Structures are given as C-alpha cells and as structure tokens.
Amino acid sequence: MVNLKQVLYLFLASIIFSSPTLHAKPIYISCDMQQSLKLIQKFHLLSDLTIKHEEIENRADCIQLNDSHILIATANIIETKQDVYQMNLDLIDMNKQRLLMHYQHPQFISEANGKFSSIKFDRTPYSNINNEKIIGLKTHLYNIGEHSYDLDKFNLFRIIYNQSSVKNNKIQWVLKNLNTQIQSSWRPTHGCDESTSDEIKSIFILQNTQNHQLQNILLKQTKKSVDTDEKCKTKRVNQTQQQLLKFNGESYQIDRTQLLYSDDLKDE
C-alpha cells in the first residue's frame, strides 16, 4: 500500500505550475502542507483505489484562497470505467477543519488523448474584482512514441461563498474545456532530419471591461507548424488568432471556429 502521508507531503512541498496568464496579481499560494494533508485524509478526498494505483502527487492539488479557506482539486479513478477519472473540487475552512462545499465535475477526464499526467491549479487569479474568486485548473495529457504530444486542457471555476447567504453558495464552471497548450510531433520519416510538428500556445489577458459582473478575457493564441514531405522538403507556417471571451451569466462564450487546433489531436 502506498504511504499516503509521505506521498502527499512530497507533492504539496514541490508544487510548481507555469501560468498562461499575463498581468494578473497577486498569485494564489500553496496550502500549508501539514494542514492540507490532514484535511485530504479526514474528508477522504482521494479514493483507496486511486491511492493504490496512482501517483498521488499528480492526482491532487491545493491553493489557499484567503487566511481561512483552501481549495483542493482531486482526480479519482472511476472503478467501472477504464482510463477515466472523476474530478472534484472541495472548499474547506482550514481553521475550523470543516468542509464548506463539494463540487463534482459533470465531465470525466478521459485518456482518449493520451495518458493522464496531472491536475494542477493555476496560481494566477482570473479576476481582480474584490471578492470574486475565478480559479484556473488544468489537466495534462501526454504520449511518447512515433507520435509524441503534450496537451493541456483548461477550465475556469467561480467560487461563490458567503457565510451570511449559504443558500446562494456554489462552485460554477465558467470556462469549459479549452485546449491551451499543445505540442505535437511525428518522428522523422523517409530518412528526413526534421519531423512534422505543431506547437500551440495560449495567453489570457484580463480586461477592464465586464459582462454580467465578470471581467472580459482576451485570449491570444499562436501556432507554429512544420510539415515535412517524403522528399524532406519542409514547410513552415505561423498563425496567430485572438478573441474576446465574455461572460453571459453562466459561462464564458468561446467561438471554437476561431481557435487554433492541431489536426493530429482530437478536440473533446
């Protein structure tokens, strides 16, 4: 049996995440290690099956929202489905050792696009409006082989919590399933030196304008493609794209026809 205490201690001690966001401060900090460990164990946020078979440090993450509240993300194996994981978010009062809100994500994490590597919070806030908590969370998938790739799928969640109006408290899914960072590469063929590849990067920039009380977000994307044919002739193409994401009261609206994709990867 995996020693949960030791593994979780290591993961909480070594969290590092590179944010795709620009110009938003301050960042969220990692939780206190010992407190987080006790809470994960106390509320059974990781299943016995996940603990037994998974790399625990990549199946949970934790950030401190303020002096008393922490947010924990977990990804647990679904027992009845192969290579599928259930994502959960839990808001906890770390002073009172009390679970305040539990959110079960309606969509599963599938390994259809490669091995599930990790679940990590973005340390950068996606709102600088007072009392608004918009939290970024990514899942990372990868494959190593003839076709190697890395894929980050990104979501935003709004944490609404007020002790004086408990009935209105909720965790709201406000940006849905955006592939933000993609690296895709095929091994060189026909004796060529250079491979065929795609690299897509995304940047989010908070705007001063608002819709339905949340800030607009400018999404900027760049794509670098290399295509090598059977004669080892290489074609390079660079693309850029941007769009303004506006909140409609339920979620940020994305024009997916304007997103940059890699033809070698599914968009789920």
Side-chain angles (χ1 to χ4, degrees), residues 53-99:
H53 294 288
E54 298 294 312
E55 298 174 353
I56 307 304
E57 67 272 20
N58 292 322
R59 296 297 176 262
D61 198 9
C62 179
I63 55 173
Q64 186 170 326
L65 299 184
N66 52 42
D67 291 340
S68 59
H69 296 147
I70 65 172
L71 187 66
I72 297 176
T74 53
N76 283 290
I77 298 174
I78 303 297
E79 296 189 35
T80 58
K81 298 182 180 181
Q82 186 176 7
D83 301 326
V84 177
Y85 300 81
Q86 176 70 61
M87 186 168 73
N88 300 301
L89 294 173
D90 292 278
L91 181 67
I92 297 174
D93 187 319
M94 59 184 181
N95 293 332
K96 297 181 180 179
Q97 302 281 292
R98 187 160 63 97
L99 179 63

mmCIF file of all heavy atoms in Angstrom, residues 53-99:
data_model
loop_
_atom_site.group_PDB
_atom_site.id
_atom_site.type_symbol
_atom_site.label_atom_id
_atom_site.label_comp_id
_atom_site.label_asym_id
_atom_site.label_seq_id
_atom_site.Cartn_x
_atom_site.Cartn_y
_atom_site.Cartn_z
ATOM 1 N N HIS A 53 -3.212 2.724 -6.916
ATOM 2 C CA HIS A 53 -2.724 2.537 -8.277
ATOM 3 C C HIS A 53 -2.111 3.778 -8.916
ATOM 4 O O HIS A 53 -1.500 3.668 -9.987
ATOM 5 C CB HIS A 53 -3.862 2.043 -9.176
ATOM 6 C CG HIS A 53 -4.355 0.671 -8.827
ATOM 7 N ND1 HIS A 53 -3.632 -0.473 -9.063
ATOM 8 C CD2 HIS A 53 -5.516 0.268 -8.231
ATOM 9 C CE1 HIS A 53 -4.318 -1.525 -8.656
ATOM 10 N NE2 HIS A 53 -5.463 -1.105 -8.135
ATOM 11 N N GLU A 54 -2.262 4.919 -8.315
ATOM 12 C CA GLU A 54 -1.874 6.159 -8.992
ATOM 13 C C GLU A 54 -0.706 6.857 -8.299
ATOM 14 O O GLU A 54 -0.394 6.589 -7.138
ATOM 15 C CB GLU A 54 -3.075 7.117 -9.056
ATOM 16 C CG GLU A 54 -4.252 6.580 -9.841
ATOM 17 C CD GLU A 54 -3.944 6.425 -11.310
ATOM 18 O OE1 GLU A 54 -3.402 7.361 -11.922
ATOM 19 O OE2 GLU A 54 -4.252 5.354 -11.870
ATOM 20 N N GLU A 55 -0.095 7.782 -9.032
ATOM 21 C CA GLU A 55 0.916 8.675 -8.463
ATOM 22 C C GLU A 55 0.162 9.814 -7.782
ATOM 23 O O GLU A 55 -0.314 10.740 -8.434
ATOM 24 C CB GLU A 55 1.829 9.201 -9.562
ATOM 25 C CG GLU A 55 2.610 8.111 -10.277
ATOM 26 C CD GLU A 55 3.383 8.652 -11.460
ATOM 27 O OE1 GLU A 55 3.206 9.838 -11.788
ATOM 28 O OE2 GLU A 55 4.155 7.881 -12.051
ATOM 29 N N ILE A 56 0.065 9.725 -6.467
ATOM 30 C CA ILE A 56 -0.840 10.601 -5.724
ATOM 31 C C ILE A 56 -0.490 12.082 -5.892
ATOM 32 O O ILE A 56 -1.366 12.944 -5.932
ATOM 33 C CB ILE A 56 -0.844 10.228 -4.225
ATOM 34 C CG1 ILE A 56 -1.148 8.736 -4.058
ATOM 35 C CG2 ILE A 56 -1.859 11.073 -3.468
ATOM 36 C CD1 ILE A 56 -2.435 8.283 -4.687
ATOM 37 N N GLU A 57 0.800 12.386 -6.011
ATOM 38 C CA GLU A 57 1.196 13.785 -6.145
ATOM 39 C C GLU A 57 0.660 14.435 -7.408
ATOM 40 O O GLU A 57 0.608 15.666 -7.511
ATOM 41 C CB GLU A 57 2.721 13.912 -6.104
ATOM 42 C CG GLU A 57 3.457 13.313 -7.286
ATOM 43 C CD GLU A 57 3.795 11.852 -7.106
ATOM 44 O OE1 GLU A 57 3.149 11.183 -6.265
ATOM 45 O OE2 GLU A 57 4.704 11.373 -7.815
ATOM 46 N N ASN A 58 0.226 13.608 -8.386
ATOM 47 C CA ASN A 58 -0.344 14.139 -9.623
ATOM 48 C C ASN A 58 -1.856 14.024 -9.679
ATOM 49 O O ASN A 58 -2.475 14.327 -10.707
ATOM 50 C CB ASN A 58 0.267 13.422 -10.830
ATOM 51 C CG ASN A 58 1.730 13.749 -11.012
ATOM 52 O OD1 ASN A 58 2.141 14.888 -10.800
ATOM 53 N ND2 ASN A 58 2.523 12.759 -11.384
ATOM 54 N N ARG A 59 -2.467 13.571 -8.592
ATOM 55 C CA ARG A 59 -3.921 13.404 -8.562
ATOM 56 C C ARG A 59 -4.602 14.368 -7.594
ATOM 57 O O ARG A 59 -5.793 14.209 -7.301
ATOM 58 C CB ARG A 59 -4.260 11.952 -8.187
ATOM 59 C CG ARG A 59 -3.777 10.926 -9.218
ATOM 60 C CD ARG A 59 -4.449 11.107 -10.568
ATOM 61 N NE ARG A 59 -3.930 10.187 -11.563
ATOM 62 C CZ ARG A 59 -2.995 10.503 -12.455
ATOM 63 N NH1 ARG A 59 -2.462 11.722 -12.441
ATOM 64 N NH2 ARG A 59 -2.583 9.630 -13.353
ATOM 65 N N ALA A 60 -3.848 15.329 -7.066
ATOM 66 C CA ALA A 60 -4.438 16.328 -6.172
ATOM 67 C C ALA A 60 -3.598 17.592 -6.186
ATOM 68 O O ALA A 60 -2.399 17.542 -6.445
ATOM 69 C CB ALA A 60 -4.542 15.779 -4.747
ATOM 70 N N ASP A 61 -4.254 18.725 -5.933
ATOM 71 C CA ASP A 61 -3.548 19.998 -5.798
ATOM 72 C C ASP A 61 -4.352 20.879 -4.853
ATOM 73 O O ASP A 61 -5.554 20.658 -4.637
ATOM 74 C CB ASP A 61 -3.378 20.667 -7.163
ATOM 75 C CG ASP A 61 -2.293 21.738 -7.158
ATOM 76 O OD1 ASP A 61 -1.566 21.841 -6.148
ATOM 77 O OD2 ASP A 61 -2.172 22.476 -8.154
ATOM 78 N N CYS A 62 -3.698 21.897 -4.294
ATOM 79 C CA CYS A 62 -4.334 22.698 -3.254
ATOM 80 C C CYS A 62 -3.808 24.124 -3.287
ATOM 81 O O CYS A 62 -2.598 24.347 -3.417
ATOM 82 C CB CYS A 62 -4.047 22.068 -1.887
ATOM 83 S SG CYS A 62 -4.743 22.974 -0.498
ATOM 84 N N ILE A 63 -4.712 25.093 -3.186
ATOM 85 C CA ILE A 63 -4.327 26.501 -3.074
ATOM 86 C C ILE A 63 -5.080 27.152 -1.924
ATOM 87 O O ILE A 63 -6.158 26.710 -1.531
ATOM 88 C CB ILE A 63 -4.592 27.305 -4.368
ATOM 89 C CG1 ILE A 63 -6.048 27.179 -4.814
ATOM 90 C CG2 ILE A 63 -3.627 26.896 -5.461
ATOM 91 C CD1 ILE A 63 -6.403 28.081 -5.983
ATOM 92 N N GLN A 64 -4.496 28.220 -1.417
ATOM 93 C CA GLN A 64 -5.098 28.975 -0.320
ATOM 94 C C GLN A 64 -5.787 30.195 -0.904
ATOM 95 O O GLN A 64 -5.162 31.038 -1.541
ATOM 96 C CB GLN A 64 -4.015 29.395 0.674
ATOM 97 C CG GLN A 64 -4.553 30.060 1.920
ATOM 98 C CD GLN A 64 -3.483 30.248 2.976
ATOM 99 O OE1 GLN A 64 -2.577 29.421 3.102
ATOM 100 N NE2 GLN A 64 -3.571 31.342 3.710
ATOM 101 N N LEU A 65 -7.104 30.295 -0.696
ATOM 102 C CA LEU A 65 -7.877 31.412 -1.245
ATOM 103 C C LEU A 65 -7.788 32.656 -0.373
ATOM 104 O O LEU A 65 -7.829 33.774 -0.871
ATOM 105 C CB LEU A 65 -9.343 31.009 -1.422
ATOM 106 C CG LEU A 65 -9.622 29.845 -2.376
ATOM 107 C CD1 LEU A 65 -11.118 29.629 -2.506
ATOM 108 C CD2 LEU A 65 -8.993 30.092 -3.737
ATOM 109 N N ASN A 66 -7.703 32.450 0.931
ATOM 110 C CA ASN A 66 -7.546 33.557 1.880
ATOM 111 C C ASN A 66 -6.973 32.979 3.169
ATOM 112 O O ASN A 66 -6.484 31.849 3.181
ATOM 113 C CB ASN A 66 -8.879 34.293 2.104
ATOM 114 C CG ASN A 66 -10.007 33.347 2.477
ATOM 115 O OD1 ASN A 66 -9.823 32.426 3.270
ATOM 116 N ND2 ASN A 66 -11.179 33.554 1.898
ATOM 117 N N ASP A 67 -7.070 33.722 4.250
ATOM 118 C CA ASP A 67 -6.447 33.289 5.503
ATOM 119 C C ASP A 67 -7.101 32.052 6.115
ATOM 120 O O ASP A 67 -6.487 31.367 6.934
ATOM 121 C CB ASP A 67 -6.480 34.421 6.529
ATOM 122 C CG ASP A 67 -5.554 35.565 6.140
ATOM 123 O OD1 ASP A 67 -4.633 35.329 5.331
ATOM 124 O OD2 ASP A 67 -5.766 36.696 6.632
ATOM 125 N N SER A 68 -8.331 31.758 5.732
ATOM 126 C CA SER A 68 -9.023 30.636 6.373
ATOM 127 C C SER A 68 -9.515 29.559 5.408
ATOM 128 O O SER A 68 -9.803 28.439 5.832
ATOM 129 C CB SER A 68 -10.217 31.149 7.185
ATOM 130 O OG SER A 68 -11.117 31.849 6.349
ATOM 131 N N HIS A 69 -9.623 29.874 4.111
ATOM 132 C CA HIS A 69 -10.212 28.930 3.169
ATOM 133 C C HIS A 69 -9.180 28.385 2.183
ATOM 134 O O HIS A 69 -8.374 29.141 1.633
ATOM 135 C CB HIS A 69 -11.352 29.589 2.382
ATOM 136 C CG HIS A 69 -12.494 30.003 3.238
ATOM 137 N ND1 HIS A 69 -13.269 31.112 2.972
ATOM 138 C CD2 HIS A 69 -12.990 29.470 4.393
ATOM 139 C CE1 HIS A 69 -14.199 31.241 3.897
ATOM 140 N NE2 HIS A 69 -14.052 30.248 4.773
ATOM 141 N N ILE A 70 -9.236 27.081 1.965
ATOM 142 C CA ILE A 70 -8.407 26.461 0.935
ATOM 143 C C ILE A 70 -9.304 25.732 -0.054
ATOM 144 O O ILE A 70 -10.444 25.364 0.254
ATOM 145 C CB ILE A 70 -7.376 25.481 1.525
ATOM 146 C CG1 ILE A 70 -8.058 24.278 2.175
ATOM 147 C CG2 ILE A 70 -6.454 26.177 2.506
ATOM 148 C CD1 ILE A 70 -7.086 23.186 2.601
ATOM 149 N N LEU A 71 -8.779 25.540 -1.268
ATOM 150 C CA LEU A 71 -9.488 24.817 -2.313
ATOM 151 C C LEU A 71 -8.622 23.641 -2.745
ATOM 152 O O LEU A 71 -7.445 23.822 -3.074
ATOM 153 C CB LEU A 71 -9.781 25.737 -3.500
ATOM 154 C CG LEU A 71 -10.678 25.161 -4.604
ATOM 155 C CD1 LEU A 71 -12.097 24.918 -4.069
ATOM 156 C CD2 LEU A 71 -10.726 26.109 -5.801
ATOM 157 N N ILE A 72 -9.219 22.448 -2.738
ATOM 158 C CA ILE A 72 -8.495 21.238 -3.102
ATOM 159 C C ILE A 72 -9.133 20.627 -4.343
ATOM 160 O O ILE A 72 -10.357 20.463 -4.404
ATOM 161 C CB ILE A 72 -8.500 20.214 -1.954
ATOM 162 C CG1 ILE A 72 -7.771 20.788 -0.727
ATOM 163 C CG2 ILE A 72 -7.834 18.900 -2.382
ATOM 164 C CD1 ILE A 72 -7.801 19.876 0.485
ATOM 165 N N ALA A 73 -8.316 20.313 -5.332
ATOM 166 C CA ALA A 73 -8.765 19.605 -6.532
ATOM 167 C C ALA A 73 -8.235 18.180 -6.486
ATOM 168 O O ALA A 73 -7.071 17.950 -6.134
ATOM 169 C CB ALA A 73 -8.260 20.311 -7.789
ATOM 170 N N THR A 74 -9.085 17.220 -6.832
ATOM 171 C CA THR A 74 -8.670 15.824 -6.865
ATOM 172 C C THR A 74 -9.183 15.165 -8.146
ATOM 173 O O THR A 74 -10.179 15.604 -8.736
ATOM 174 C CB THR A 74 -9.203 15.037 -5.658
ATOM 175 O OG1 THR A 74 -10.624 15.224 -5.567
ATOM 176 C CG2 THR A 74 -8.550 15.490 -4.369
ATOM 177 N N ALA A 75 -8.497 14.111 -8.551
ATOM 178 C CA ALA A 75 -8.928 13.299 -9.688
ATOM 179 C C ALA A 75 -8.849 11.839 -9.272
ATOM 180 O O ALA A 75 -7.760 11.314 -9.032
ATOM 181 C CB ALA A 75 -8.050 13.569 -10.906
ATOM 182 N N ASN A 76 -9.990 11.198 -9.178
ATOM 183 C CA ASN A 76 -10.059 9.818 -8.716
ATOM 184 C C ASN A 76 -10.417 8.870 -9.862
ATOM 185 O O ASN A 76 -11.200 9.211 -10.751
ATOM 186 C CB ASN A 76 -11.117 9.674 -7.618
ATOM 187 C CG ASN A 76 -10.636 10.203 -6.283
ATOM 188 O OD1 ASN A 76 -9.764 9.621 -5.661
ATOM 189 N ND2 ASN A 76 -11.190 11.326 -5.855
ATOM 190 N N ILE A 77 -9.858 7.661 -9.809
ATOM 191 C CA ILE A 77 -10.192 6.635 -10.794
ATOM 192 C C ILE A 77 -11.675 6.285 -10.685
ATOM 193 O O ILE A 77 -12.220 6.139 -9.597
ATOM 194 C CB ILE A 77 -9.363 5.360 -10.546
ATOM 195 C CG1 ILE A 77 -7.872 5.649 -10.700
ATOM 196 C CG2 ILE A 77 -9.788 4.247 -11.486
ATOM 197 C CD1 ILE A 77 -6.994 4.468 -10.337
ATOM 198 N N ILE A 78 -12.333 6.120 -11.839
ATOM 199 C CA ILE A 78 -13.692 5.593 -11.876
ATOM 200 C C ILE A 78 -13.607 4.074 -11.942
ATOM 201 O O ILE A 78 -13.067 3.511 -12.901
ATOM 202 C CB ILE A 78 -14.467 6.132 -13.092
ATOM 203 C CG1 ILE A 78 -14.495 7.662 -13.073
ATOM 204 C CG2 ILE A 78 -15.885 5.565 -13.115
ATOM 205 C CD1 ILE A 78 -15.198 8.253 -11.891
ATOM 206 N N GLU A 79 -14.115 3.395 -10.943
ATOM 207 C CA GLU A 79 -13.946 1.941 -10.841
ATOM 208 C C GLU A 79 -14.582 1.195 -12.003
ATOM 209 O O GLU A 79 -14.083 0.161 -12.447
ATOM 210 C CB GLU A 79 -14.532 1.437 -9.522
ATOM 211 C CG GLU A 79 -13.816 1.964 -8.283
ATOM 212 C CD GLU A 79 -14.275 1.271 -7.018
ATOM 213 O OE1 GLU A 79 -14.575 0.061 -7.082
ATOM 214 O OE2 GLU A 79 -14.353 1.940 -5.975
ATOM 215 N N THR A 80 -15.700 1.701 -12.512
ATOM 216 C CA THR A 80 -16.437 0.982 -13.552
ATOM 217 C C THR A 80 -15.997 1.337 -14.966
ATOM 218 O O THR A 80 -16.533 0.789 -15.929
ATOM 219 C CB THR A 80 -17.941 1.273 -13.414
ATOM 220 O OG1 THR A 80 -18.153 2.696 -13.503
ATOM 221 C CG2 THR A 80 -18.470 0.772 -12.082
ATOM 222 N N LYS A 81 -15.043 2.272 -15.089
ATOM 223 C CA LYS A 81 -14.606 2.700 -16.416
ATOM 224 C C LYS A 81 -13.087 2.670 -16.482
ATOM 225 O O LYS A 81 -12.407 3.158 -15.580
ATOM 226 C CB LYS A 81 -15.123 4.107 -16.733
ATOM 227 C CG LYS A 81 -16.639 4.221 -16.776
ATOM 228 C CD LYS A 81 -17.071 5.628 -17.153
ATOM 229 C CE LYS A 81 -18.588 5.740 -17.208
ATOM 230 N NZ LYS A 81 -19.029 7.105 -17.600
ATOM 231 N N GLN A 82 -12.555 2.150 -17.570
ATOM 232 C CA GLN A 82 -11.114 2.057 -17.722
ATOM 233 C C GLN A 82 -10.548 3.378 -18.221
ATOM 234 O O GLN A 82 -11.069 3.976 -19.153
ATOM 235 C CB GLN A 82 -10.753 0.940 -18.706
ATOM 236 C CG GLN A 82 -9.257 0.675 -18.811
ATOM 237 C CD GLN A 82 -8.953 -0.504 -19.715
ATOM 238 O OE1 GLN A 82 -9.849 -1.043 -20.368
ATOM 239 N NE2 GLN A 82 -7.695 -0.898 -19.767
ATOM 240 N N ASP A 83 -9.472 3.829 -17.581
ATOM 241 C CA ASP A 83 -8.752 5.035 -18.009
ATOM 242 C C ASP A 83 -9.637 6.280 -18.005
ATOM 243 O O ASP A 83 -9.531 7.144 -18.881
ATOM 244 C CB ASP A 83 -8.146 4.834 -19.405
ATOM 245 C CG ASP A 83 -7.186 3.652 -19.451
ATOM 246 O OD1 ASP A 83 -6.511 3.409 -18.434
ATOM 247 O OD2 ASP A 83 -7.128 2.978 -20.492
ATOM 248 N N VAL A 84 -10.507 6.383 -17.005
ATOM 249 C CA VAL A 84 -11.378 7.545 -16.853
ATOM 250 C C VAL A 84 -11.319 7.992 -15.394
ATOM 251 O O VAL A 84 -11.296 7.169 -14.485
ATOM 252 C CB VAL A 84 -12.832 7.231 -17.269
ATOM 253 C CG1 VAL A 84 -13.736 8.440 -17.020
ATOM 254 C CG2 VAL A 84 -12.900 6.808 -18.725
ATOM 255 N N TYR A 85 -11.329 9.317 -15.192
ATOM 256 C CA TYR A 85 -11.161 9.881 -13.852
ATOM 257 C C TYR A 85 -12.259 10.905 -13.575
ATOM 258 O O TYR A 85 -12.730 11.605 -14.471
ATOM 259 C CB TYR A 85 -9.791 10.561 -13.730
ATOM 260 C CG TYR A 85 -8.624 9.632 -13.967
ATOM 261 C CD1 TYR A 85 -8.222 9.306 -15.263
ATOM 262 C CD2 TYR A 85 -7.933 9.069 -12.902
ATOM 263 C CE1 TYR A 85 -7.164 8.442 -15.486
ATOM 264 C CE2 TYR A 85 -6.869 8.204 -13.119
ATOM 265 C CZ TYR A 85 -6.489 7.899 -14.416
ATOM 266 O OH TYR A 85 -5.447 7.045 -14.633
ATOM 267 N N GLN A 86 -12.646 10.979 -12.301
ATOM 268 C CA GLN A 86 -13.633 11.947 -11.843
ATOM 269 C C GLN A 86 -12.935 13.093 -11.130
ATOM 270 O O GLN A 86 -12.156 12.872 -10.204
ATOM 271 C CB GLN A 86 -14.628 11.297 -10.885
ATOM 272 C CG GLN A 86 -15.637 12.255 -10.278
ATOM 273 C CD GLN A 86 -16.644 12.747 -11.292
ATOM 274 O OE1 GLN A 86 -17.374 11.948 -11.865
ATOM 275 N NE2 GLN A 86 -16.693 14.054 -11.534
ATOM 276 N N MET A 87 -13.203 14.314 -11.559
ATOM 277 C CA MET A 87 -12.586 15.483 -10.949
ATOM 278 C C MET A 87 -13.535 16.107 -9.925
ATOM 279 O O MET A 87 -14.731 16.249 -10.182
ATOM 280 C CB MET A 87 -12.230 16.516 -12.026
ATOM 281 C CG MET A 87 -11.454 17.715 -11.509
ATOM 282 S SD MET A 87 -10.774 18.697 -12.874
ATOM 283 C CE MET A 87 -12.271 19.475 -13.507
ATOM 284 N N ASN A 88 -12.981 16.480 -8.770
ATOM 285 C CA ASN A 88 -13.751 17.113 -7.704
ATOM 286 C C ASN A 88 -13.031 18.352 -7.190
ATOM 287 O O ASN A 88 -11.795 18.420 -7.220
ATOM 288 C CB ASN A 88 -13.956 16.148 -6.534
ATOM 289 C CG ASN A 88 -14.689 14.890 -6.923
ATOM 290 O OD1 ASN A 88 -15.811 14.940 -7.409
ATOM 291 N ND2 ASN A 88 -14.041 13.758 -6.735
ATOM 292 N N LEU A 89 -13.814 19.318 -6.702
ATOM 293 C CA LEU A 89 -13.288 20.486 -6.009
ATOM 294 C C LEU A 89 -13.939 20.559 -4.635
ATOM 295 O O LEU A 89 -15.157 20.371 -4.504
ATOM 296 C CB LEU A 89 -13.585 21.768 -6.786
ATOM 297 C CG LEU A 89 -12.899 21.944 -8.148
ATOM 298 C CD1 LEU A 89 -13.432 23.175 -8.859
ATOM 299 C CD2 LEU A 89 -11.397 22.051 -7.975
ATOM 300 N N ASP A 90 -13.133 20.852 -3.622
ATOM 301 C CA ASP A 90 -13.642 20.940 -2.260
ATOM 302 C C ASP A 90 -13.133 22.206 -1.595
ATOM 303 O O ASP A 90 -11.915 22.439 -1.544
ATOM 304 C CB ASP A 90 -13.210 19.717 -1.456
ATOM 305 C CG ASP A 90 -13.887 18.445 -1.931
ATOM 306 O OD1 ASP A 90 -15.044 18.221 -1.518
ATOM 307 O OD2 ASP A 90 -13.281 17.698 -2.721
ATOM 308 N N LEU A 91 -14.068 23.017 -1.113
ATOM 309 C CA LEU A 91 -13.737 24.228 -0.358
ATOM 310 C C LEU A 91 -13.785 23.894 1.127
ATOM 311 O O LEU A 91 -14.799 23.383 1.624
ATOM 312 C CB LEU A 91 -14.729 25.346 -0.683
ATOM 313 C CG LEU A 91 -14.486 26.675 0.033
ATOM 314 C CD1 LEU A 91 -13.183 27.317 -0.449
ATOM 315 C CD2 LEU A 91 -15.656 27.628 -0.185
ATOM 316 N N ILE A 92 -12.691 24.186 1.820
ATOM 317 C CA ILE A 92 -12.559 23.778 3.219
ATOM 318 C C ILE A 92 -12.133 24.958 4.080
ATOM 319 O O ILE A 92 -11.277 25.753 3.686
ATOM 320 C CB ILE A 92 -11.522 22.636 3.345
ATOM 321 C CG1 ILE A 92 -12.010 21.405 2.568
ATOM 322 C CG2 ILE A 92 -11.250 22.285 4.792
ATOM 323 C CD1 ILE A 92 -11.015 20.283 2.502
ATOM 324 N N ASP A 93 -12.761 25.079 5.237
ATOM 325 C CA ASP A 93 -12.324 26.017 6.262
ATOM 326 C C ASP A 93 -11.210 25.323 7.044
ATOM 327 O O ASP A 93 -11.460 24.393 7.807
ATOM 328 C CB ASP A 93 -13.490 26.388 7.182
ATOM 329 C CG ASP A 93 -13.122 27.488 8.172
ATOM 330 O OD1 ASP A 93 -11.988 27.450 8.710
ATOM 331 O OD2 ASP A 93 -13.956 28.372 8.423
ATOM 332 N N MET A 94 -9.965 25.763 6.859
ATOM 333 C CA MET A 94 -8.848 25.042 7.464
ATOM 334 C C MET A 94 -8.693 25.372 8.947
ATOM 335 O O MET A 94 -8.028 24.632 9.676
ATOM 336 C CB MET A 94 -7.543 25.338 6.715
ATOM 337 C CG MET A 94 -7.123 26.776 6.660
ATOM 338 S SD MET A 94 -5.646 26.948 5.636
ATOM 339 C CE MET A 94 -5.361 28.733 5.758
ATOM 340 N N ASN A 95 -9.302 26.465 9.411
ATOM 341 C CA ASN A 95 -9.240 26.778 10.836
ATOM 342 C C ASN A 95 -10.236 25.927 11.627
ATOM 343 O O ASN A 95 -9.910 25.399 12.695
ATOM 344 C CB ASN A 95 -9.528 28.261 11.068
ATOM 345 C CG ASN A 95 -8.434 29.154 10.498
ATOM 346 O OD1 ASN A 95 -7.278 28.747 10.406
ATOM 347 N ND2 ASN A 95 -8.800 30.361 10.110
ATOM 348 N N LYS A 96 -11.441 25.786 11.082
ATOM 349 C CA LYS A 96 -12.472 25.001 11.759
ATOM 350 C C LYS A 96 -12.454 23.536 11.334
ATOM 351 O O LYS A 96 -13.240 22.738 11.865
ATOM 352 C CB LYS A 96 -13.851 25.603 11.465
ATOM 353 C CG LYS A 96 -14.017 27.021 12.004
ATOM 354 C CD LYS A 96 -15.401 27.556 11.695
ATOM 355 C CE LYS A 96 -15.571 28.971 12.243
ATOM 356 N NZ LYS A 96 -16.915 29.520 11.934
ATOM 357 N N GLN A 97 -11.573 23.197 10.366
ATOM 358 C CA GLN A 97 -11.491 21.819 9.884
ATOM 359 C C GLN A 97 -12.863 21.347 9.396
ATOM 360 O O GLN A 97 -13.330 20.253 9.730
ATOM 361 C CB GLN A 97 -10.981 20.896 10.991
ATOM 362 C CG GLN A 97 -9.619 21.290 11.548
ATOM 363 C CD GLN A 97 -8.482 20.856 10.636
ATOM 364 O OE1 GLN A 97 -8.212 19.687 10.468
ATOM 365 N NE2 GLN A 97 -7.813 21.832 10.048
ATOM 366 N N ARG A 98 -13.478 22.173 8.549
ATOM 367 C CA ARG A 98 -14.848 21.876 8.113
ATOM 368 C C ARG A 98 -14.965 21.983 6.600
ATOM 369 O O ARG A 98 -14.444 22.921 5.986
ATOM 370 C CB ARG A 98 -15.813 22.856 8.789
ATOM 371 C CG ARG A 98 -17.283 22.565 8.555
ATOM 372 C CD ARG A 98 -18.137 23.232 9.609
ATOM 373 N NE ARG A 98 -18.036 24.690 9.556
ATOM 374 C CZ ARG A 98 -18.912 25.478 8.919
ATOM 375 N NH1 ARG A 98 -19.935 24.947 8.284
ATOM 376 N NH2 ARG A 98 -18.764 26.781 8.933
ATOM 377 N N LEU A 99 -15.648 21.011 5.998
ATOM 378 C CA LEU A 99 -15.914 21.032 4.556
ATOM 379 C C LEU A 99 -17.097 21.959 4.287
ATOM 380 O O LEU A 99 -18.200 21.743 4.805
ATOM 381 C CB LEU A 99 -16.224 19.620 4.064
ATOM 382 C CG LEU A 99 -16.538 19.470 2.573
ATOM 383 C CD1 LEU A 99 -15.332 19.859 1.724
ATOM 384 C CD2 LEU A 99 -16.962 18.036 2.265
#
